[in-house]
Amino acid sequence: MGSLDSNMAESVQFKPLDAQEFRKQAHQMVDFIADYYQNIESYPVLTQVEPGFLRSALPDSAPHRPESFETILKDVQEKIIPGITHWLSPNFFAFFPATVSTAGFLGEMLCACFNSVGFNWLASPASTELEIVVMDWLATMLKLPKTFMFSGTGGGVIQNTTSDSILVTLIAARDRALDAVGAENMHKLVVYGSDQTHSTFAKVCKLAGVSPANIRALPTSVDANFSLSPQLLRRAVEADVEAGLVPLFLCATVGTTSTTAVDNVEPLAEVANEYGIWVHVDAAYAGSACICPEFRHYLNGIERVDSFSFSPHKWLLSYLDCCCLWVKQPGLLVKALSTDPEYLKNKPSESNSVVDFKDWQVGTGRRFKSLRLWMVLRSYGVLNLQSHIRSDIRLAKMFEGFVKSDPRFEIVVPRHFALVCFRLNPYPHSGSADTEMLNRKLLDWVNSTGRVYLTHTIVGGLYMLRFAVGASLTDERHVVAAWELIMEGADRLFKGSAF
Amino acid sequence: MGSLDSNMAESVQFKPLDAQEFRKQAHQMVDFIADYYQNIESYPVLTQVEPGFLRSALPDSAPHRPESFETILKDVQEKIIPGITHWLSPNFFAFFPATVSTAGFLGEMLCACFNSVGFNWLASPASTELEIVVMDWLATMLKLPKTFMFSGTGGGVIQNTTSDSILVTLIAARDRALDAVGAENMHKLVVYGSDQTHSTFAKVCKLAGVSPANIRALPTSVDANFSLSPQLLRRAVEADVEAGLVPLFLCATVGTTSTTAVDNVEPLAEVANEYGIWVHVDAAYAGSACICPEFRHYLNGIERVDSFSFSPHKWLLSYLDCCCLWVKQPGLLVKALSTDPEYLKNKPSESNSVVDFKDWQVGTGRRFKSLRLWMVLRSYGVLNLQSHIRSDIRLAKMFEGFVKSDPRFEIVVPRHFALVCFRLNPYPHSGSADTEMLNRKLLDWVNSTGRVYLTHTIVGGLYMLRFAVGASLTDERHVVAAWELIMEGADRLFKGSAF
């Protein structure tokens, strides 16, 4: 490795950020990425590699000496790309899409460019202020009440994920409750969701010290479209109060992960408000749709809740990570999460004239993420973003029509947004296990072709396939081709062809 | 806004990710960024804007119709950049640097390009496996024992920030302890750090439900270079045990935020091991230096701890966010953090043959961050990265020499890495308040010039200036110029010139 001195000599020459080299290599990378986007349909959507494929293809330790950009890019093409599940493929219909856009990418480039760390206002004023502006813009697009906006009495902040959003609001609610009932009553706090609430809710509640026995996953049913019943909530809360417990927090979901079921915010909040329960609305996926007037009704009652989050990285073309959280009482977040070390003290913070976002989140450091949203909102305008939502929903409706037109298939739950939950119908006189087995076989086969990627869920005991439209590159022809492939799978299945 | 139908017509044409447009605009952005890096010295490092500057310069709501890329870029130049604190400026000596590099930027571009969501192995196998490879590479560079490596019995994961790393390890430790002593004894758990431990430690402990009364910030002193005393730790633990409490977790710091003080891991871990206390070592800043053999001794005793984290985004050229966490017993993380919703079930996960990183972190979604580290490690090689660390330390030593050569100044605490803590000496016969006031004035003046940015801290009652070398563009001439500016400030101060 050479002596210290010879390394020192080398160090004088090592320039990690030479503007000329940056320019040259970044241009090459742009072309590499543009080519990837152009050729993305040529890759199998769901990679078919085996566990360990990459570990065995790469050396055990980092190189001592530099390797060329060309060598590394070759490895990206030959070793990395074959092992990627292509989330941006127009034939990706799994989970929910992680949508992207040119403007989002440019915003991400700028965010990295400045690499400013906006833990407080002074550390990078533009970062904090643009976030304030963008969060108010989005709140306006969603017709959130002024009580959630900086221009009103609340405010919003960009978190990494829904988990973070739920965690920080839960902590704020928890600390407010413990102030009232005493910290020794921590074990009495109860939280509420449905059996359709995202699995991260229970995880985050446990993180925050809520007793696992006090996490209520209230049952839903296919008859009520898997929506949480306000009557059931009321009964659960009453029973808990009677048992001497302290109802703390309700997580209502607009657009659940399995089937995009919608909890009816207004009547749920009505119950919660009576008992002083903090209500959070998680609209991670479906929130984006609510920028269209015709879907805004899914947020009816939002003025009665305490916090609301949705993730533009899911459906608003914004790349990961980007979860937008609004709260009515930012002071409660700050009270629960603020720190004040000497080395971060500064006059603007002490004057209380500015927002220090480190006190609205778990970590201290934070990226200049608002740039990405700002670029998306300005580059496309509200009209194009609405069109984008409507176009995905139109394609989902089309797919729904295909399913309905084929008697071998059925729609399992009503479609609200751009997710279609469907399955092969039960054979006459067959059991549900057979139906599930057939549908599993169908899913395995279509995914094994590499031509599409779909996932499944089981809700209310029913195994179903999920067809989530919305990848940024998806067009009508991809949806048509996916349906044809699914029909081919059904044909093979029913004709008993080898899979 | 037009009818739904006319919007639908528009929607057919809106292509958020057109490869040709992407190519064109991303090339323009590369030039914009390269120009910014080239001209970065022309901007005031610490922006001089007033609170509200940007909010008042931007419209109240998002535009309805698209705006051109040129218009937006003009706003970045004229409205955003003037409000940025330029963390990448070679004259940025505040906090700790957030270091960057061409390779890191290219890795970030690739990460955005794929936008894959690697919550479990199948969701993007290359993302998980490259992270495994890179974490083992880094562990090897740091000479971590095999007990922390995937090729041994442990493993590592990329978190966003140190706060996340401490949170997840604390939860794993907490749940293990509660299994042993019963959940009803939550209020008996005690955690330990020093008065120099990062402020996020107490915040995260409170998040996890540790009683604020049980968070021990053990005092340090200037005589012991603000290092946590193992004897003091032992006495505190013994007292807590005697009081019927349950010692849970120790956060030792290698390179504290205020002064880069170093807690001596080996004897602290010895005490902790005796009492079954989980030991986490937070080397957020200084961990990077430990890739050089001559600094590795700061990690002596690391084989006795349970978890270790450092942030390559601080000193290893890797852009935000990137905190690397290793644990000896990944199973404890998974036990505390795993979720298993139906819609994420898949054969590789069920076979237990793969790593699902969602179970190692708070959130579900996660970016393909290992690409950034992999690009940095390969593009520069271990030798250049070591040279980069040594070069920064050489420049800090040079600055230390300047300070020592001027009798008006003193070094307040010994320099370990590339941070120099110094101050104007007390006037003879003056009080400490006068000294602090003088130093505050000096700091305000040098920062007001916009030519450098330094921050301060107060430790052991001593107000001091922090000069942190390491921004990726900093050369010898910038350090020399900064010192000359500081001397000019002192001259003005002592000559009574107007500031």
Side-chain angles (χ1 to χ4, degrees):
Chain A
M1 293 186 0
S3 72
L4 192 65
D5 283 343
S6 74
N7 283 327
M8 296 264 261
E10 202 167 336
S11 79
V12 177
Q13 290 155 357
F14 174 54
K15 303 264 185 206
L17 189 64
D18 175 79
Q20 288 323 312
E21 192 189 51
F22 174 91
R23 197 185 299 268
K24 184 175 155 234
Q25 295 189 349
H27 278 308
Q28 281 180 266
M29 188 58 94
V30 166
D31 284 325
F32 182 89
I33 295 171
D35 290 346
Y36 170 75
Y37 288 159
Q38 234 158 0
N39 302 326
I40 194 165
E41 289 186 57
S42 66
Y43 303 111
V45 192
L46 176 64
T47 173
Q48 308 291 326
V49 296
E50 293 294 322
F53 78 100
L54 187 60
R55 287 179 73 178
S56 58
L58 292 176
D60 287 339
S61 55
H64 267 277
R65 306 222 159 253
E67 297 185 78
S68 76
F69 181 49
E70 290 66 29
T71 310
I72 300 170
L73 217 49
K74 191 162 172 280
D75 273 359
V76 172
Q77 190 66 56
E78 295 176 2
K79 293 178 182 161
I80 304 287
I81 288 184
I84 286 179
T85 296
H86 297 274
W87 281 70
L88 267 52
S89 166
N91 299 311
F92 182 96
F93 303 103
F95 310 111
F96 285 127
T99 59
V100 302
S101 59
T102 297
F105 193 94
L106 300 174
E108 181 64 19
M109 286 174 79
L110 268 185
C111 171
C113 160
F114 299 128
N115 201 42
S116 71
V117 190
F119 38 72
N120 59 25
W121 182 86
L122 188 62
S124 203
S127 169
T128 298
E129 297 212 12
L130 193 66
E131 192 156 331
I132 287 173
V133 166
V134 165
M135 292 303 287
D136 268 11
W137 282 11
L138 276 171
T140 303
M141 287 165 65
L142 290 164
K143 298 202 190 337
L144 296 187
K146 278 279 181 187
T147 45
F148 283 110
M149 294 169 64
F150 287 103
S151 61
T153 51
V157 58
I158 303 176
Q159 304 280 342
N160 291 320
T161 63
T162 300
S163 308
D164 295 297
S165 293
I166 297 180
L167 180 59
V168 297
T169 50
L170 179 68
I171 295 292
R174 183 196 72 181
D175 285 4
R176 180 179 67 172
L178 292 180
D179 274 352
V181 303
E184 69 280 9
N185 288 308
M186 178 88 169
H187 62 286
K188 292 187 181 166
L189 302 178
V190 191
V191 299
Y192 305 86
S194 82
D195 56 11
Q196 298 305 305
T197 307
H198 195 284
S199 57
T200 203
F201 179 56
K203 172 170 167 175
V204 161
C205 289
K206 282 183 266 180
L207 279 183
V210 174
S211 163
N214 293 353
I215 301 171
R216 309 268 173 269
L218 303 173
T220 59
S221 69
V222 66
D223 302 332
N225 294 332
F226 302 106
S227 174
L228 174 57
S229 151
Q231 292 75 27
L232 197 60
L233 173 67
R234 181 180 293 280
R235 285 203 296 276
V237 171
E238 283 172 355
D240 286 329
V241 170
E242 196 142 316
L245 299 176
V246 180
L248 174 70
F249 193 93
L250 165 68
C251 182
T253 310
V254 173
T256 60
T257 310
S258 267
T259 65
T260 66
V262 174
D263 293 339
N264 202 338
V265 174
E266 183 121 48
L268 290 169
E270 215 170 281
V271 175
N273 290 171
E274 264 182 59
Y275 290 89
I277 297 171
W278 182 299
V279 184
H280 179 80
V281 172
D282 164 18
Y285 164 70
S288 296
C290 301
I291 66 167
C292 300
E294 67 273 28
F295 301 118
R296 173 57 176 75
H297 65 90
Y298 289 115
L299 296 185
N300 281 354
I302 197 77
E303 64 284 356
R304 306 190 69 147
V305 313
D306 299 276
S307 50
F308 165 73
S309 62
F310 88 106
S311 296
H313 65 229
K314 280 204 157 63
W315 206 1
L316 220 53
L317 310 176
S318 301
Y319 288 89
L320 291 175
D321 300 326
C322 183
C323 177
C324 292
L325 166 70
W326 287 268
V327 292
K328 256 189 195 158
Q329 300 186 66
L332 292 177
L333 278 191
V334 173
K335 194 173 173 201
L337 301 170
S338 71
T339 55
D340 190 24
E342 182 61 39
Y343 47 80
L344 296 185
K345 284 188 177 157
N346 65 84
K347 286 170 193 161
S349 293
E350 280 161 19
S351 74
N352 277 322
S353 61
V354 295
V355 172
D356 290 339
F357 275 126
K358 76 177 170 53
D359 298 337
W360 298 48
Q361 65 179 16
V362 173
T364 307
R366 62 200 320 272
R367 308 174 71 216
F368 194 165
K369 283 196 187 175
S370 54
L371 275 169
R372 220 156 53 189
L373 281 172
W374 185 66
M375 295 283 291
V376 167
L377 295 175
R378 292 192 64 182
S379 300
Y380 304 131
V382 177
L383 282 184
N384 269 326
L385 293 172
Q386 289 172 334
S387 299
H388 145 74
I389 296 287
R390 288 170 180 142
S391 162
D392 288 345
I393 290 176
R394 185 180 62 80
L395 293 179
K397 271 186 188 162
M398 188 182 77
F399 183 85
E400 188 185 22
F402 295 156
V403 173
K404 284 180 173 167
S405 71
D406 186 327
R408 295 173 299 179
F409 289 89
E410 68 174 359
I411 299 292
V412 191
V413 294
R415 184 200 49 73
H416 292 303
F417 304 101
L419 171 74
V420 181
C421 294
F422 71 107
R423 63 169 186 167
L424 284 165
N425 275 320
Y427 270 128
H429 316 301
S430 73
S432 65
D434 301 324
T435 307
E436 178 171 331
M437 189 264 295
L438 272 182
N439 278 284
R440 280 188 190 273
K441 278 193 176 172
L442 175 63
L443 181 64
D444 281 350
W445 182 80
V446 296
N447 285 342
S448 73
T449 65
R451 286 157 58 193
V452 296
Y453 183 28
L454 271 67
T455 48
H456 80 284
T457 192
I458 298 178
V459 185
L462 297 174
Y463 181 97
M464 59 192 87
L465 278 59
R466 297 171 75 266
F467 190 83
V469 179
S472 299
L473 293 164
T474 302
D475 269 341
E476 192 171 311
R477 67 185 167 92
H478 302 105
V479 175
V480 170
W483 174 245
E484 283 168 357
L485 186 69
I486 292 166
M487 284 200 299
E488 185 188 335
D491 289 346
R492 286 167 175 251
L493 200 58
F494 289 115
K495 284 179 190 144
S497 305
F499 262 74
Chain B
M1 294 188 357
S3 70
L4 193 63
D5 283 342
S6 74
N7 283 327
M8 296 264 261
E10 200 168 334
S11 77
V12 178
Q13 289 157 357
F14 174 54
K15 303 263 186 207
L17 188 65
D18 175 80
Q20 288 321 312
E21 192 188 51
F22 174 89
R23 197 185 299 270
K24 186 175 154 233
Q25 295 190 350
H27 278 309
Q28 281 180 264
M29 188 58 94
V30 166
D31 284 325
F32 182 88
I33 294 172
D35 290 346
Y36 170 75
Y37 287 160
Q38 232 159 359
N39 302 325
I40 195 163
E41 289 187 55
S42 66
Y43 303 112
V45 191
L46 177 64
T47 173
Q48 308 291 326
V49 296
E50 293 293 321
F53 78 100
L54 187 60
R55 288 180 73 179
S56 58
L58 293 176
D60 287 338
S61 54
H64 266 278
R65 303 218 163 256
E67 297 185 76
S68 75
F69 181 49
E70 290 66 29
T71 311
I72 301 170
L73 217 48
K74 191 162 171 281
D75 274 359
V76 172
Q77 189 67 55
E78 293 176 3
K79 293 177 181 160
I80 304 288
I81 287 183
I84 286 179
T85 297
H86 297 274
W87 281 70
L88 267 52
S89 166
N91 299 309
F92 183 95
F93 302 103
F95 310 112
F96 286 127
T99 59
V100 302
S101 59
T102 297
F105 194 94
L106 300 174
E108 181 64 18
M109 287 174 79
L110 267 186
C111 170
C113 159
F114 299 127
N115 201 44
S116 71
V117 190
F119 38 72
N120 58 26
W121 181 86
L122 188 62
S124 202
S127 170
T128 298
E129 297 213 10
L130 193 67
E131 191 157 330
I132 288 173
V133 166
V134 165
M135 292 303 288
D136 269 10
W137 282 11
L138 277 171
T140 303
M141 288 164 66
L142 291 164
K143 300 205 192 323
L144 295 187
K146 279 279 181 186
T147 45
F148 283 110
M149 294 168 65
F150 287 102
S151 60
T153 52
V157 58
I158 302 177
Q159 304 280 341
N160 291 319
T161 63
T162 300
S163 307
D164 295 298
S165 292
I166 296 180
L167 180 59
V168 297
T169 49
L170 179 68
I171 296 292
R174 183 196 72 180
D175 286 4
R176 180 179 67 173
L178 292 180
D179 274 352
V181 303
E184 69 279 10
N185 288 309
M186 177 87 170
H187 62 286
K188 291 188 182 166
L189 303 179
V190 191
V191 300
Y192 305 86
S194 83
D195 56 10
Q196 298 305 307
T197 307
H198 195 283
S199 56
T200 204
F201 179 56
K203 173 170 167 175
V204 161
C205 289
K206 281 183 268 181
L207 281 182
V210 174
S211 164
N214 292 354
I215 301 171
R216 309 269 174 266
L218 302 173
T220 59
S221 70
V222 68
D223 303 331
N225 293 332
F226 302 107
S227 174
L228 175 57
S229 150
Q231 293 74 28
L232 198 59
L233 173 68
R234 181 181 292 280
R235 285 202 296 277
V237 171
E238 283 172 356
D240 286 328
V241 170
E242 196 142 315
L245 300 176
V246 181
L248 175 69
F249 193 90
L250 164 69
C251 181
T253 310
V254 172
T256 61
T257 311
S258 267
T259 66
T260 66
V262 174
D263 293 339
N264 202 339
V265 174
E266 183 119 50
L268 290 169
E270 214 171 283
V271 175
N273 290 170
E274 264 182 59
Y275 291 89
I277 297 171
W278 182 298
V279 184
H280 179 78
V281 172
D282 164 17
Y285 164 70
S288 296
C290 301
I291 65 167
C292 301
E294 67 273 29
F295 301 118
R296 173 57 177 75
H297 65 91
Y298 289 115
L299 295 185
N300 281 354
I302 198 76
E303 65 283 355
R304 306 191 68 147
V305 314
D306 300 277
S307 51
F308 165 73
S309 64
F310 89 106
S311 296
H313 66 227
K314 281 203 157 63
W315 206 2
L316 220 53
L317 310 176
S318 301
Y319 289 88
L320 290 174
D321 300 325
C322 184
C323 177
C324 292
L325 166 70
W326 287 267
V327 292
K328 257 189 194 159
Q329 297 187 66
L332 292 176
L333 277 190
V334 172
K335 192 173 174 203
L337 300 169
S338 71
T339 55
D340 190 26
E342 182 61 38
Y343 46 81
L344 296 185
K345 284 188 177 159
N346 65 84
K347 285 172 193 159
S349 295
E350 281 163 18
S351 73
N352 278 322
S353 61
V354 295
V355 172
D356 290 340
F357 275 127
K358 75 176 171 51
D359 298 337
W360 298 48
Q361 64 177 17
V362 173
T364 307
R366 63 198 321 273
R367 308 173 73 217
F368 195 165
K369 283 195 188 175
S370 55
L371 274 170
R372 223 158 49 191
L373 281 171
W374 183 66
M375 295 284 291
V376 167
L377 296 176
R378 292 193 63 181
S379 300
Y380 304 132
V382 177
L383 282 184
N384 269 326
L385 293 172
Q386 289 171 333
S387 299
H388 146 73
I389 297 287
R390 288 170 180 145
S391 161
D392 288 346
I393 290 176
R394 185 179 62 80
L395 293 179
K397 271 187 189 161
M398 187 181 76
F399 184 84
E400 188 185 24
F402 294 156
V403 173
K404 285 182 174 166
S405 71
D406 187 325
R408 295 173 299 180
F409 289 90
E410 67 174 1
I411 299 293
V412 191
V413 294
R415 184 200 49 73
H416 291 302
F417 305 102
L419 171 73
V420 181
C421 293
F422 70 108
R423 63 170 187 167
L424 284 165
N425 275 321
Y427 269 128
H429 316 300
S430 72
S432 65
D434 301 325
T435 307
E436 178 169 332
M437 191 264 295
L438 272 181
N439 278 285
R440 280 188 190 272
K441 277 194 175 173
L442 175 62
L443 181 65
D444 281 351
W445 183 80
V446 297
N447 284 342
S448 73
T449 64
R451 286 157 58 194
V452 296
Y453 183 26
L454 272 66
T455 48
H456 80 285
T457 192
I458 299 179
V459 184
L462 297 174
Y463 181 97
M464 59 192 88
L465 279 57
R466 297 171 75 267
F467 190 86
V469 180
S472 300
L473 292 164
T474 302
D475 270 340
E476 192 171 310
R477 68 187 168 91
H478 303 104
V479 176
V480 170
W483 174 246
E484 282 168 357
L485 185 70
I486 292 166
M487 284 200 299
E488 185 188 333
D491 289 347
R492 285 167 173 251
L493 199 60
F494 289 115
K495 284 178 190 143
S497 304
F499 263 72

